[in-house]
Amino acid sequence: IPSCTDGPSFAAFISHAKADAAMEARYLQSVLEPGLRGSVFLDSDDLRDLRQLTAHVKDSKVLVLLQSRTVLSRPYCLLEILTALDGGVPIIGLALTGCGPTGYQFEPAAAFLKNFDTAIKSENPSAVATLSEHGVTDLTEVAWKLSSSIPKILSMPFNPSASRNLLAAMAQDLSDCISHDAVAFQLP
């Protein structure tokens, strides 16, 4: 991985829960790369060694969080988000809408994050062990960090079943935000 002093290697890093949004992530990569004139990280293409996951987040200009129903309970998505927050990598959300049971709901997500330290244990018990393996052990701190940041990020609606014109407009808006550093979010 090139040094961050040379600038980020990736124009964006797409964080997503595969079971909810694998195809949507692939679509985003394909429409963002031409507009950003740079590589957009997608684990299916760019992750060769899981131990390098957080380094790839740090080596990205922005983290695009594809907000789906389960993304906040997936351990590697959580590691990506925490790495971005700790590393000062701006986060922009794309909230899946029109997707039935995989869609993102803001109020339940905020409640989950507020009580993350206890809620994660029932939502995805294996996530706690995975986070711990990667040095994330203070779930109370994680709850505070996530609940005080994720509900405040810029989040745009993303309806994969929208018309071609609406999808193109969403992609252009996202590309513009990334290109013009309009999405900077810093942890308080």
Side-chain angles (χ1 to χ4, degrees), residues 67-79:
Q67 295 167 297
S68 63
R69 188 186 68 75
T70 66
V71 72
L72 298 174
S73 65
R74 306 305 307 152
Y76 291 104
C77 296
L78 291 165
L79 286 171

Side-chain angles (χ1 to χ4, degrees), residues 54 137 148 173 175:
T54 58
T137 56
S148 64
D173 286 347
S175 182

Side-chain angles (χ1 to χ4, degrees), residues 51-69:
R51 295 171 297 187
Q52 294 299 312
L53 179 68
T54 58
H56 291 303
V57 172
K58 293 175 189 173
D59 199 23
S60 300
K61 183 176 180 182
V62 64
L63 183 133
V64 176
L65 178 60
L66 195 44
Q67 295 167 297
S68 63
R69 188 186 68 75

Side-chain angles (χ1 to χ4, degrees), residues 3-134:
S3 166
C4 286
T5 58
D6 297 334
S9 294
F10 296 101
F13 182 110
I14 299 175
S15 181
H16 67 291
K18 279 191 192 309
D20 291 347
M23 199 60 208
E24 289 83 351
R26 171 68 64 199
Y27 169 77
L28 285 173
Q29 182 195 38
S30 71
V31 298
L32 286 176
E33 283 184 336
L36 296 174
R37 296 185 190 104
S39 295
V40 172
F41 183 95
L42 186 62
D43 57 0
S44 302
D45 291 343
D46 301 305
L47 187 61
R48 307 284 182 262
D49 181 349
L50 190 55
R51 295 171 297 187
Q52 294 299 312
L53 179 68
T54 58
H56 291 303
V57 172
K58 293 175 189 173
D59 199 23
S60 300
K61 183 176 180 182
V62 64
L63 183 133
V64 176
L65 178 60
L66 195 44
Q67 295 167 297
S68 63
R69 188 186 68 75
T70 66
V71 72
L72 298 174
S73 65
R74 306 305 307 152
Y76 291 104
C77 296
L78 291 165
L79 286 171
E80 293 161 1
I81 295 166
L82 292 167
T83 299
L85 291 171
D86 292 342
V89 176
I91 299 173
I92 184 168
L94 282 181
L96 283 178
T97 63
C99 300
T102 61
Y104 189 74
Q105 296 179 348
F106 288 92
E107 288 183 28
F112 175 77
L113 292 176
K114 184 177 180 183
N115 301 299
F116 178 84
D117 50 329
T118 55
I120 191 66
K121 294 172 186 172
S122 61
E123 180 74 23
N124 185 357
S126 66
V128 176
T130 303
L131 291 170
S132 182
E133 290 169 13
H134 292 275

Side-chain angles (χ1 to χ4, degrees), residues 158-182:
F158 176 34
N159 183 348
S161 61
S163 71
R164 181 182 310 180
N165 290 339
L166 286 175
L167 287 170
M170 179 278 308
Q172 185 62 55
D173 286 347
L174 179 58
S175 182
D176 289 348
C177 284
I178 294 168
S179 296
H180 302 303
D181 295 324

